[in-house]
Amino acid sequence: MAEVHPAHGAHGEIHRHEPPKGFIRKYIFSLDHKVIGIQYYLLALFSVFVGMFLSVLMRIELGWPGHEWSFLKTIFPNAAANGTISPELYLSLLTMHGTMMVFFVLTTAPQGGFGNYFLPIQIGADDMAFPLLNAMSFWITFLALAVLILAFGYTLFFNDPNMEKVIGPIGGWTGYAPLSALGDAAGPGQGMGVVLWVSSIALFCIASLLGALNFITTMLNMRVRGLSLMRLPLTCWAWFTTAVLALLSFPVLLAGGILLLLDHLAGTSFFIPGGEYVNGQLIKEHSGGSPILWQHLFWFFGHPEVYIAILPGMGLTSHVLSTFARKPIFGYRAMVYAIFAIGLLGFFVWGHHMFISGMSPYTSIAFSLITLTIGVPSAIKTFNWLGTLWGARIRFTSPMLFAIGFVSLFVSGGITGLFLGQTSIDIQLHDTYFVVGHFHLIMGVAAIFGMFAGTYFWFPKMFGRMMNEGMGKIHFLFTFIGVNAIFIPFHVMGMAGAPRRYASHAGLAYLASVMPLHRFISYMVFITVGAQLIFLFNLIWSMFKGKKASENPWEATTLEWTIPSPPPHDNFAGIAPVVYRGPYEFSVPGAPNDFSMQTDPEGAEAPGH
């Protein structure tokens, strides 16, 4: 029989769920949204370190082109038998680095990890709407990662003699046709490597669709009494909008991936034009295929994907800034509308990735105008963040530092997007390091700074212990300086004309002056990656040895801070909370404390914390 809190009446009643007893059901094939959230987080943590390792391998080739490294012979006995990174191996590393980071880190951790764990708690629910679907979504994501790793290293498993210089597909994370559709004739790794790569992406799309349906249903249907839409934390709005973007964009990529597999395996010609020659030989008789079709399908997904990666970070940054500035978020409603506007406009700007594809100039103008328009809601969010910080009594904790770092990187990366949104400028810069610097700042490290802020902020609630603040601040300092020292010089190299996806610039005389910059960037990559080992040590050490956390160590206001740390299996012990306030009531005039919990009745004296 369900428990009922005497002050809540029938509206406060929910069913009490007993935790599973066995280890397998409790920690492996769990239906608990909190365990699934941690599983997503650990999967992303593994992926980010693999992705960083691949980037380090690329940087040693760019900084010291042609140098022999004995450890490469051990890692890649076929692909780097002489200890050097060949152009084919470099392109394979680049492809897998991009795919791993975009799908299994930037998409997985903020939404699948933090979203799964905290969305139900922040709306007062005991679990996600469809727990079984939630578990299925994670395990399909896990399978997608396993298939991607197989695509990366299947030559190591099957010893393919035709791929001595490569370990996976070489077409980049965008998989542009027709090279991705032609099979082995297009280059080493473009046969079975691409088939496995596309299969991994298709599985990931299915998992994301299941997750998106769960998120949307949970937020709309399972809010507790008093929690109106305009009382939701901005994190919930960000996860909800991200789920809508995933629901509308991932089916397009899934369809494109199926068509690409048909071109590979069934002899169709969706993306292969007639009379396609490679190395002077006609590949096969195709007619009617269009390589541009793949670009349209991919980028119709690809630009919303940018916001799938960044929107959860925006919501989390808003949440953290308000908490540690001890002020209500500046312009709450404007922030909600800006999140929706960014998500909506994100579906209309995919063509700015294709300015050099030969599209009509009139079409380019339309895409350029909409691209600039999306800067308006982004600017609203930025100025509201600054308004939140203005005149505040800021507590410079580790999560606050990373949230401020997020704002800085978002602005730095966003400004360069204004240049790339102009067709005449983009044509000159598109295939250079300028674009690489732009999307790494705005989509990559900014989103990762949001993940770091979330980790330091919610770690006490998830594990019942505090992370070490000293190590956290050292981690922030080295990481913030490092990413700026890496990606701002990328823009300089791009303006000098350094082309991206080249394994080495040493043979290009006009780029001789940028080679010292390449080496400087490589040194900074080593330092920045080393700083992440501090974070990893802090994370693992704090799980077991960290200082015990109280129920509300940050003196925050939302519902997750009203329950024990870590939360019980059914979150609220069978009693649904009732919400009386908005999510960011800090420093309210006349209040006895400088914060009021969402569950504190209006007019009643808040309990001491």
Side-chain angles (χ1 to χ4, degrees), residues 304-318:
E305 165 63 21
V306 172
Y307 300 110
I308 289 172
I310 199 73
L311 277 175
M314 290 180 175
L316 177 58
T317 294
S318 305

Side-chain angles (χ1 to χ4, degrees), residues 102-115:
V102 169
F103 290 98
F104 295 97
V105 179
L106 300 178
T107 306
T108 298
Q111 187 78 359
F114 293 131

Side-chain angles (χ1 to χ4, degrees), residues 274-587:
E276 183 73 24
Y277 281 80
V278 175
N279 296 326
Q281 294 184 348
L282 181 67
I283 298 301
K284 47 178 137 173
E285 294 296 333
H286 284 282
S287 62
S290 171
I292 300 299
L293 174 61
W294 169 259
Q295 291 190 36
H296 279 295
L297 294 174
F298 183 88
W299 287 117
F300 187 82
F301 147 80
H303 202 81
E305 165 63 21
V306 172
Y307 300 110
I308 289 172
I310 199 73
L311 277 175
M314 290 180 175
L316 177 58
T317 294
S318 305
H319 199 71
V320 171
L321 288 179
S322 180
T323 300
F324 293 106
R326 314 309 294 171
K327 284 178 61 180
I329 195 75
F330 186 90
Y332 172 87
R333 286 180 179 269
M335 295 289 264
V336 172
Y337 299 146
I339 288 173
F340 267 113
I342 289 171
L344 177 64
L345 292 172
F347 279 103
F348 298 101
V349 297
W350 80 90
H352 70 215
H353 296 272
M354 300 170 58
F355 283 156
I356 63 170
S357 67
M359 68 166 61
S360 163
Y362 299 105
T363 307
S364 297
I365 291 171
F367 280 121
S368 179
L369 289 174
I370 302 173
T371 299
L372 296 180
T373 303
I374 207 169
V376 175
S378 299
I380 289 172
K381 294 190 72 63
T382 301
F383 287 121
N384 283 12
W385 289 328
L386 296 178
T388 303
L389 294 174
W390 183 264
R393 295 170 294 139
I394 300 174
R395 299 177 180 178
F396 288 102
T397 60
S398 295
M400 185 60 161
L401 291 174
F402 276 102
I404 295 172
F406 175 95
V407 176
S408 172
L409 293 166
F410 181 73
V411 172
S412 301
I415 287 175
T416 57
L418 298 176
F419 295 95
L420 297 174
Q422 305 295 317
T423 53
S424 57
I425 301 176
D426 182 74
I427 288 172
Q428 303 299 320
L429 295 175
H430 186 88
D431 205 29
T432 71
Y433 267 73
F434 192 96
V435 176
V436 181
H438 161 71
F439 72 70
H440 272 86
L441 280 179
I442 192 70
M443 178 187 176
V445 292
I448 288 177
F449 265 55
M451 297 176 210
F452 284 139
T455 301
Y456 285 102
F457 182 68
W458 277 319
F459 186 90
K461 182 56 57 179
M462 296 168 72
F463 299 102
R465 294 181 181 272
M466 304 294 292
M467 292 186 73
N468 183 277
E469 276 289 297
M471 282 193 282
K473 290 174 179 175
I474 293 171
H475 172 223
F476 167 78
L477 183 67
F478 278 99
T479 305
F480 184 73
I481 294 173
V483 296
N484 279 283
I486 293 166
F487 297 114
I488 289 178
F490 271 32
H491 295 81
V492 177
M493 291 168 49
M495 289 186 284
R500 54 179 173 160
R501 297 191 178 183
Y502 275 47
S504 171
H505 293 146
L508 302 173
Y510 78 97
L511 290 178
S513 60
V514 306
M515 287 308 297
L517 198 55
H518 259 311
R519 192 160 294 183
F520 167 78
I521 293 170
S522 295
Y523 284 130
M524 295 311 300
V525 166
F526 302 152
I527 293 172
T528 306
V529 170
Q532 309 322 304
L533 299 178
I534 299 174
F535 165 75
L536 185 63
F537 174 80
N538 193 3
L539 184 76
I540 297 172
W541 181 85
S542 299
M543 286 183 186
F544 303 99
K545 299 293 184 179
K547 177 185 174 184
K548 286 286 184 70
S550 64
E551 188 175 278
N552 189 6
W554 307 126
E555 296 183 323
T557 61
T558 44
L559 293 181
E560 72 266 33
W561 304 106
T562 64
I563 59 178
S565 305
H569 174 68
D570 54 358
N571 299 338
F572 295 93
I575 303 171
V578 178
V579 171
Y580 298 96
R581 300 173 181 268
Y584 304 113
E585 296 206 7
F586 294 98
S587 303

Side-chain angles (χ1 to χ4, degrees), residues 5-25:
H5 192 282
H8 294 162
H11 291 284
E13 180 178 351
I14 59 176
H15 292 289
R16 184 74 186 268
H17 296 286
E18 294 298 328
K21 303 300 183 184
F23 178 83
I24 298 295
R25 285 303 305 273

